[in-house]
Amino acid sequence: MWLPGLSPVWPAPMLPDGGAGTAARLAAAAGQGAGAARLPSDILTEDDVYCSCLAKTLCHVPVPVTVGFYAPFGCRLHMMLDKIMALMQQEATQREAEELRHVQWQLRPVRGWGFSKLLWYLVFLQPIITELHLRRKNVKFLFIRFSAWQYAGSDKLWAGLVATLCEGIRQQYGALPFSLYSVLGKKAATRLDYRHREWHCRSRVCLAMLGLLAAFSLGMSLLYLSMSSHVLGHGNMFRAFGGAATTLSSSGLLMALFSLGKHLFVSQRKRIERLVSQERFSSHLGFMCEVKKEVGLLTDFLCFLEIYQRRRLRVVLEITGLDTCYPERVVGVLNAINTLLSDSHAPFIFILVVDPSILAACLESAGSMKGTADNGYLFLNRTVTLPFSVPIMGRRTKLQFLHDAVRRRDDLLYREMTLNVRSRGGTGGGAGTGGEAGAGGGDVAPLLEMEGPARAESAQSLLEVKAARSIQEALCCLHDEYDCLIDYVPDNVVSMRRIVNTVPITVRLLQRQQGDFEGLSPRQAVAWVVLANQWPCRLSWALQCLEDQQQAGSAPEAYAPLWDVFCDHSLELHTLTATLQKVLDLDGDPELFRRFLGADFPFTVAEAQSLLRCTVNLDHSIRHRMGLIRAVSTLKTPRPPESPARKDPHAASGANHAPGAAWAGQAPARVCEAHQPQDGGKSRPMA
């Protein structure tokens, strides 16, 4: 099923052989009369496909369900969640329209005139779960977001989760209906033999209300008679019976109103927070039972609203920021999902947005989970019933993200328009000034004084125009579908924005350094920014080795590739892996680095030195640390000096007998003694 309003054109990487023809046939079949060219907003990206499939699945999945939305930090999480919410709402609207076309009944509103009817049903009627209700297909989603970071400092993070859930439903339908149900409501009954009768009159409530009203009326009547029957002598008796009846009836009504006001002004969230804040009560055996009752009351109220509105209700609770909390807090939230909110009839859909590697480490390090969650991944699998790992960003999705990031830089267009207006105004003013100078010679000196600043401003404006065009060209290369540079842009949205924001600074610095880009192009500048962002450790190593070679006087040629410099010292980097492990973790794929610097963008030594002075997104402390490590590793252990007695005992004894001998003559004397034959002409070996 295709989503309305979106073109059913699958991305090229997801189609099999001959996919272009298939996509063309689908586009022609779905969009008759439309042109062959499609706008970028109509193209169905890879993320749209994944979000659409997940949204349709959540519309049909049995509840309760816990979705493990697995993705690392900065991986377009909130954008995908917003898209999933919109698609679920769209699917719910379509299903409701189809359901209403096949039935004769209409939905009951809870706003306007339907609000008083809802209050009447809450007091005097009991809902019945029938077969007709179970077969209904129309559904409404209630979205509630819970950020664990807001409750990270609390000891009971799970209580914040339950309180947020209760508060979200209370705000959706109002405080009065939920308070009235808490005081007078009754749980829905299950009778599958009833097909169409969904409500049962609560005779006890009706009789109680009639009894209270009758007693109150009788008491008031007796009091009235006691005031007018003093002649008969029965005024005291009437007054006593009337006062008793009025007191009993009014006390019952006052108790009901007091309980209603208590639930109306003291919300469920405040009651849960009050329970958690009591240290004595938190250690009591019935503490979790009280919280469970609050959650059960909320679930029964939702079931009542389902039958009243004639549609199914699903509460979608998005849990984010859980991987930024302490391990004990994380365990509490998962236990709350497994125990408090996991009743068989609970209409809850939990979307657990976490990084599984961080969450598994939190579970394993929690002191309360020793022996229970020694393997964090196994414990997480017992909680999550629908895993969804966010896929790698596709090519179309990446292009769309880059296009949106570049499009937000509207300062380029604004500056060009401003400079064009200034240039037009400056030209007209120059013509008028020249005419006045030719007419009168007394104003020549002021005009000459203004000519210098005007030329400087014109030159500065020209530089700004050139810089804006160069920045625009560089950013166009960044999100060009046919440029190989798109393959090296990371999938992380935060990294994308970092690259887009760094490109203008680098281009401007490069323009100030070399003028009109005589040696380096804007494409090379944006490629260098991507290189420094993706592989900071390897790039810093190559630059540090190049600097050390220049200081040693063995610098390579200016046109030598920077990749050769890295390859010549890659073995040394391998030996320092343990020392530079944390810095090496910052780098991306090593194979992509080899292809980037060795084939697609072969920067030379001269280009690297020019670009290094314009690099602002590379941490120079990494190079400084590498330089210190290399300097320490090249140091050799000094050998201890040897005594002359061990080298030549004869020379040492001669030196003792002749202390005034010159140092210059000792070495030739020892050499001669070594070659002089002794002991009958036999020569002795040299020392």
Side-chain angles (χ1 to χ4, degrees), residues 463-496:
L463 289 176
E464 288 292 330
V465 171
K466 291 181 179 179
R469 291 176 180 174
S470 301
I471 294 171
Q472 210 164 13
E473 182 182 351
L475 294 176
C476 288
C477 296
L478 186 62
H479 64 90
D480 188 2
E481 185 178 1
Y482 303 101
D483 198 332
C484 63
L485 185 61
I486 189 66
D487 298 332
Y488 303 102
V489 177
D491 299 338
N492 196 304
V493 180
V494 178
S495 298
M496 287 184 185

Side-chain angles (χ1 to χ4, degrees), residues 389-432:
S389 297
V390 175
I392 300 175
M393 185 180 292
R395 190 178 184 87
R396 291 180 181 271
T397 306
K398 186 185 295 186
L399 287 171
Q400 185 173 2
F401 273 106
L402 288 173
H403 177 72
D404 294 340
V406 172
R407 187 177 55 184
R408 293 174 184 174
R409 299 195 57 86
D410 53 353
D411 55 332
L412 301 177
L413 181 61
Y414 173 75
R415 288 179 181 176
E416 287 186 0
M417 294 172 59
T418 305
L419 292 173
N420 290 335
V421 172
R422 286 182 179 179
S423 61
R424 292 177 182 177
T427 305

Side-chain angles (χ1 to χ4, degrees), residues 233-498:
H234 299 287
N236 294 330
M237 183 180 63
F238 287 162
R239 188 179 300 109
F241 281 104
T246 306
T247 303
L248 290 175
S249 59
S250 60
S251 62
L253 292 175
L254 288 176
M255 289 178 62
L257 292 176
F258 175 76
S259 180
L260 178 62
K262 181 180 177 181
H263 285 81
L264 184 63
F265 294 102
V266 181
S267 64
Q268 205 173 17
R269 180 191 187 101
K270 294 181 180 179
R271 291 200 298 271
I272 294 175
E273 292 177 352
R274 186 181 300 172
L275 289 176
V276 174
S277 61
Q278 296 177 2
E279 296 182 359
R280 295 181 180 178
F281 192 78
S282 61
S283 60
H284 196 266
L285 294 177
F287 171 65
M288 297 303 294
C289 182
E290 292 294 329
V291 180
K292 186 73 174 179
K293 287 181 181 179
E294 297 291 338
V295 177
L297 182 64
L298 183 67
T299 305
D300 296 339
F301 177 66
L302 291 174
C303 182
F304 179 92
L305 290 175
E306 281 186 346
I307 301 175
Y308 175 78
Q309 291 184 289
R310 293 173 176 170
R311 61 183 173 191
R312 312 303 295 270
L313 293 177
R314 295 293 180 265
V315 181
V316 183
L317 184 61
E318 300 177 4
I319 305 174
T320 59
L322 194 61
D323 44 11
T324 61
C325 301
Y326 292 106
E328 301 296 336
R329 276 70 160 173
V330 174
V331 173
V333 171
L334 295 182
N335 287 334
I337 294 175
N338 292 330
T339 57
L340 295 177
L341 307 173
S342 59
D343 290 339
S344 58
H345 60 282
F348 299 139
I349 299 176
F350 302 99
I351 301 181
L352 198 60
V353 185
V354 292
D355 187 347
S357 61
I358 299 178
L359 197 64
C362 288
L363 293 173
E364 294 170 1
S365 61
S368 59
M369 301 300 290
K370 293 298 182 183
T372 306
D374 293 335
N375 190 335
Y377 289 99
L378 293 179
F379 186 85
L380 194 59
N381 289 338
R382 290 196 294 266
T383 303
V384 174
T385 56
L386 178 58
F388 182 83
S389 297
V390 175
I392 300 175
M393 185 180 292
R395 190 178 184 87
R396 291 180 181 271
T397 306
K398 186 185 295 186
L399 287 171
Q400 185 173 2
F401 273 106
L402 288 173
H403 177 72
D404 294 340
V406 172
R407 187 177 55 184
R408 293 174 184 174
R409 299 195 57 86
D410 53 353
D411 55 332
L412 301 177
L413 181 61
Y414 173 75
R415 288 179 181 176
E416 287 186 0
M417 294 172 59
T418 305
L419 292 173
N420 290 335
V421 172
R422 286 182 179 179
S423 61
R424 292 177 182 177
T427 305
T433 304
E436 292 178 1
D443 296 335
V444 175
L447 290 176
L448 289 177
E449 292 178 359
M450 296 176 57
E451 186 178 0
R455 289 181 179 178
E457 184 179 358
S458 178
Q460 184 68 22
S461 301
L462 185 59
L463 289 176
E464 288 292 330
V465 171
K466 291 181 179 179
R469 291 176 180 174
S470 301
I471 294 171
Q472 210 164 13
E473 182 182 351
L475 294 176
C476 288
C477 296
L478 186 62
H479 64 90
D480 188 2
E481 185 178 1
Y482 303 101
D483 198 332
C484 63
L485 185 61
I486 189 66
D487 298 332
Y488 303 102
V489 177
D491 299 338
N492 196 304
V493 180
V494 178
S495 298
M496 287 184 185
R497 293 176 179 174
R498 188 186 300 122

